[in-house]
């Protein structure tokens, strides 16, 4: 039994000695500096830092809407008359003052003529009294009577020469008949809807002969050259936004730059998103109603800073650089402003060689080979 115990103790001591030896060997390996073959060093590109003033810009998306837009709604009823020049269809352009749509007004026109005739009859009945009692104003009334036609809109009544004359005319119903006729004339004008500005129909498909009823939506008419887009920006940037500030559309083809101006700023903050809406106006015939666009809004500049790709910023607080020994080092930086692709940072000294290559398994102290700077490569290309 004693002999078996001594064997077990000896075997245990042997295992302990082997364990200590292996542990020390691993520690020594970790302390040993790795050796590199210059031919197998990782090649990297660098950008030499040169701090300067960098623009702050935010990019937002929004849908274009015409600045001048009206809904065409009927206030009267009747059948649509045929327009001999243009049809009331989507995509048809009209000049200011041109008739967009006309509703048959023959029946109502007769009512208007009747009211004019009634006014003329009343004036005829009071002319003898005016000639006797209000001689100084007789010529004006006689001229008005002679020029009044049931076929044409009536003009303003002559001014009364005295309070007594005015009471006389009111008592005879002249003023009441005049305003009745003017009211009917105003309603008659609603049978013909005219373009208030140069524009184009974006909705509308009323056929000739179709029966139209009051309050019926007939179409939509817009100015195709003036548009606006509303976008939301963080409330902490609102002090950097000014009215009439220039804003550009980021073109898909990167060929044409379309510039507009900030025309309105809402003063209410969206409680959920803590943003404020601003409205940018564009005057350009190449834009379209309803199109989604991306705009670039300038917010000023940050001096003594460097703009870098967001992919180079690690954990939002440091970047990798190539030090004087051609080894990788980490430098802490302060992010000042982010946009979609880049970030503006401070904390990099001029002349620092910033690693711009995408190096796999990169670590601090890693030996590298700087083969080309980005700006030199671009000059060659």
């Amino acid at each position: 039994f004693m002999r078996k115990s001594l064997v077990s103790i000896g075997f245990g001591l042997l295992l302990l000695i082997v364990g200590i030896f292996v542990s020390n060997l691993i520690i020594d390996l970790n302390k040993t500096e790795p050796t590199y073959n210059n031919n197998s060093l990782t090649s990297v590109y660098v950008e030499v830092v040169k701090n300067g003033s960098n623009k702050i810009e935010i990019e937002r998306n929004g849908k274009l809407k015409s600045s001048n837009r009206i809904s065409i709604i009927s206030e009267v009823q009747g059948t649509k008359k045929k327009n001999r020049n243009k049809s009331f269809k989507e995509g048809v352009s009209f000049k200011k003052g041109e008739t967009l749509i006309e509703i048959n007004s023959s029946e109502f026109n007769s009512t208007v003529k009747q009211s004019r005739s009634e006014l003329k009859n009343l004036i005829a009945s009071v002319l003898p009294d005016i000639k006797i009692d209000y001689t100084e104003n007789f010529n004006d009334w006689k001229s008005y009577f002679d020029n009044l036609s049931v076929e044409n809109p009536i003009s303003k009544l002559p001014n009364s020469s005295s309070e007594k004359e005015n009471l006389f005319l009111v008592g005879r119903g002249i003023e009441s008949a005049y305003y009745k006729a003017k009211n009917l004339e105003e309603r008659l004008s609603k049978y013909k809807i005219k373009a208030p500005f140069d524009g184009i129909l974006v909705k509308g498909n009323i056929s000739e002969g179709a029966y139209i009823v009051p309050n019926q939506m007939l179409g939509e008419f817009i100015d195709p050259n003036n548009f606006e887009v509303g976008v939301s920006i963080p409330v902490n940037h609102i002090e950097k936004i000014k009215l009439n500030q220039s804003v550009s559309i980021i073109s898909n083809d990167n060929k044409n730059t379309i510039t507009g101006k900030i025309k309105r700023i809402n003063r209410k903050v969206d409680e959920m998103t803590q943003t404020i809406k601003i409205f940018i106006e564009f005057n350009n015939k190449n834009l379209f109603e309803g199109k989604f666009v991306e705009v670039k809004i300038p917010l000023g500049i940050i001096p003594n800073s460097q703009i870098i790709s967001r992919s180079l910023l690690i954990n939002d607080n440091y970047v990798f650089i190539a030090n004087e020994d051609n080894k990788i080092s980490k430098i802490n930086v302060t992010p000042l402003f982010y946009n979609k692709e880049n970030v503006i940072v401070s904390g990099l000294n001029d002349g620092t060689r910033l690693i711009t290559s995408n190096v796999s398994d990169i670590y601090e102290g890693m030996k590298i080979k700087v083969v080309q700077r980005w700006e030199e490569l671009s000059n060659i290309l």
Side-chain angles (χ1 to χ4, degrees), residues 266-282:
N266 197 350
R267 305 308 300 179
K268 178 174 171 49
V269 176
D270 187 307
E271 296 179 2
M272 296 295 293
T273 61
Q274 286 299 294
T275 58
I276 284 183
K277 201 159 191 178
I278 65 172
F279 297 88
I280 308 152
E281 189 175 82
F282 298 93

Side-chain angles (χ1 to χ4, degrees), residues 210-267:
Y211 191 77
I212 296 170
V213 297
N215 299 318
Q216 180 179 344
M217 172 69 80
L218 305 178
E220 290 185 6
F221 186 71
I222 69 165
D223 179 349
N225 298 318
N226 292 286
F227 295 90
E228 71 174 22
V229 60
V231 296
S232 297
I233 64 169
V235 67
N236 59 310
H237 290 319
I238 192 61
E239 72 279 358
K240 303 182 182 74
I241 299 293
K242 307 295 180 185
L243 287 175
N244 295 317
Q245 180 178 328
S246 292
V247 174
S248 60
I249 288 179
I250 303 172
S251 177
N252 292 332
D253 56 17
N254 294 320
K255 293 179 181 178
N256 300 318
T257 300
I258 299 175
T259 304
K261 291 185 177 181
I262 297 174
K263 285 299 180 183
R264 304 196 312 280
I265 301 174
N266 197 350
R267 305 308 300 179

Side-chain angles (χ1 to χ4, degrees), residues 159-214:
N159 292 323
S160 299
S161 59
S162 65
E163 183 65 23
K164 184 179 179 182
E165 179 187 351
N166 184 55
L167 292 173
F168 168 74
L169 295 171
V170 171
R172 291 299 184 92
I174 301 296
E175 191 175 77
S176 175
Y178 168 77
Y179 283 111
K180 177 184 176 182
K182 290 299 290 183
N183 182 54
L184 291 174
E185 285 181 353
E186 178 65 25
R187 189 161 185 81
L188 179 64
S189 69
K190 299 181 185 301
Y191 281 79
K192 187 182 289 186
I193 303 174
K194 296 185 177 182
F197 47 80
D198 293 351
I200 187 171
L201 278 173
V202 292
K203 285 186 181 179
N205 197 24
I206 307 297
S207 303
E208 282 76 15
Y211 191 77
I212 296 170
V213 297

Side-chain angles (χ1 to χ4, degrees), residues 90-154:
E90 295 178 10
V92 178
S93 299
F94 292 86
K95 293 290 185 182
K96 181 178 180 180
E98 279 191 296
T99 299
L100 294 171
I101 193 168
E102 185 175 1
I103 301 169
N104 194 317
S105 60
S106 300
E107 183 179 347
F108 191 78
N109 193 34
S110 297
T111 304
V112 176
K113 290 179 180 180
Q114 181 183 355
S115 69
R116 291 172 184 158
S117 178
E118 289 173 355
L119 174 62
K120 190 166 187 177
N121 289 338
L122 281 174
I123 294 174
S125 69
V126 299
L127 278 178
D129 293 327
I130 293 176
K131 185 174 183 180
I132 296 172
D133 298 328
Y134 311 102
T135 308
E136 68 279 6
N137 222 14
F138 174 75
N139 289 335
D140 289 343
W141 280 102
K142 182 63 170 63
S143 176
Y144 185 87
F145 174 81
D146 292 339
N147 292 322
L148 198 156
S149 170
V150 296
E151 299 294 335
N152 300 316
I154 59 177

Side-chain angles (χ1 to χ4, degrees), residues 10-26:
F11 184 71
L13 289 173
L14 180 62
L15 286 177
L16 179 62
I17 294 169
V18 171
I20 293 172
F21 175 78
V22 171
S23 177
N24 290 335
L25 181 63
I26 292 173

Side-chain angles (χ1 to χ4, degrees), residues 41-46 321-322 328 354-359 362 366-374:
L41 291 180
T42 300
S43 298
V44 299
Y45 292 114
V46 299
I321 68 163
I328 298 292
L354 178 68
I355 302 293
T356 55
S357 298
N358 193 5
V359 181
I362 190 171
M366 176 182 182
K367 276 198 169 184
I368 52 170
K369 180 181 180 182
V370 177
V371 294
Q372 187 77 58
R373 294 176 183 171
W374 278 120

Side-chain angles (χ1 to χ4, degrees), residues 23-33:
S23 177
N24 290 335
L25 181 63
I26 292 173
I27 293 172
D28 290 341
L29 285 173
N30 287 335
K31 290 181 179 179
T32 305
E33 282 284 332

